[in-house]
Amino acid sequence: EMAEAAGDRPVILINPDLTDKISSQGQQSVRGRQERLDFADSFKTIFEFSNIYVSGTSYFPILGSIFKESLSAPWVAHQRRDLTNGDERYIPILSTEERPDGELIMDTFES
């Protein structure tokens, strides 16, 4: 309803999670599911910054980041590099038109 009220003006979602969810004990109705998925697919990412880390570890060491700075900008993955003087740098290692998946990013990272 809020998106309809906005009309042709932009709608901004901050930290959206528009993925399909399985309800507790499968009790949620599937009515309207396709409409919800179509609505989620109608959004375009214009800005995103996310850390890349390996889940399942106790302290989540940051391996790098993924960044998109505008609607027309490419997705850029950066790898974190620790320097000998104790500083760290984020080096761009991958640029794509579509958001890269984790497998592509990890295959591109230097060991």
Side-chain angles (χ1 to χ4, degrees):
E1 292 174 0
M2 289 176 20
E4 288 176 9
D8 61 352
R9 295 174 293 172
V11 174
I12 298 173
L13 303 176
I14 298 175
N15 295 331
D17 186 3
L18 301 176
T19 57
D20 197 21
K21 300 284 187 277
I22 298 173
S23 66
S24 175
Q25 300 174 346
Q27 298 300 313
Q28 184 178 6
S29 170
V30 294
R31 184 178 348 152
R33 179 174 183 261
Q34 188 59 52
E35 289 82 11
R36 290 191 305 273
L37 294 174
D38 291 344
F39 176 71
D41 288 342
S42 71
F43 285 89
K44 295 180 183 175
T45 300
I46 57 170
F47 177 85
E48 181 176 333
F49 178 89
S50 301
N51 286 323
I52 299 170
Y53 57 89
V54 177
S55 64
T57 59
S58 60
Y59 59 96
F60 300 106
I62 296 173
L63 303 176
S65 65
I66 185 165
F67 179 63
K68 182 174 178 68
E69 68 178 324
S70 70
L71 180 62
S72 60
W75 291 89
V76 180
H78 297 82
Q79 184 176 17
R80 177 180 169 214
R81 304 250 176 94
D82 293 321
L83 304 178
T84 55
N85 66 358
D87 288 344
E88 61 185 39
R89 294 282 187 265
Y90 287 79
I91 309 299
I93 56 135
L94 176 66
S95 177
T96 63
E97 291 300 314
E98 299 293 324
R99 189 181 202 285
D101 63 13
E103 186 175 338
L104 176 60
I105 292 170
M106 294 310 290
D107 287 346
T108 308
F109 274 12
E110 293 181 16
S111 299

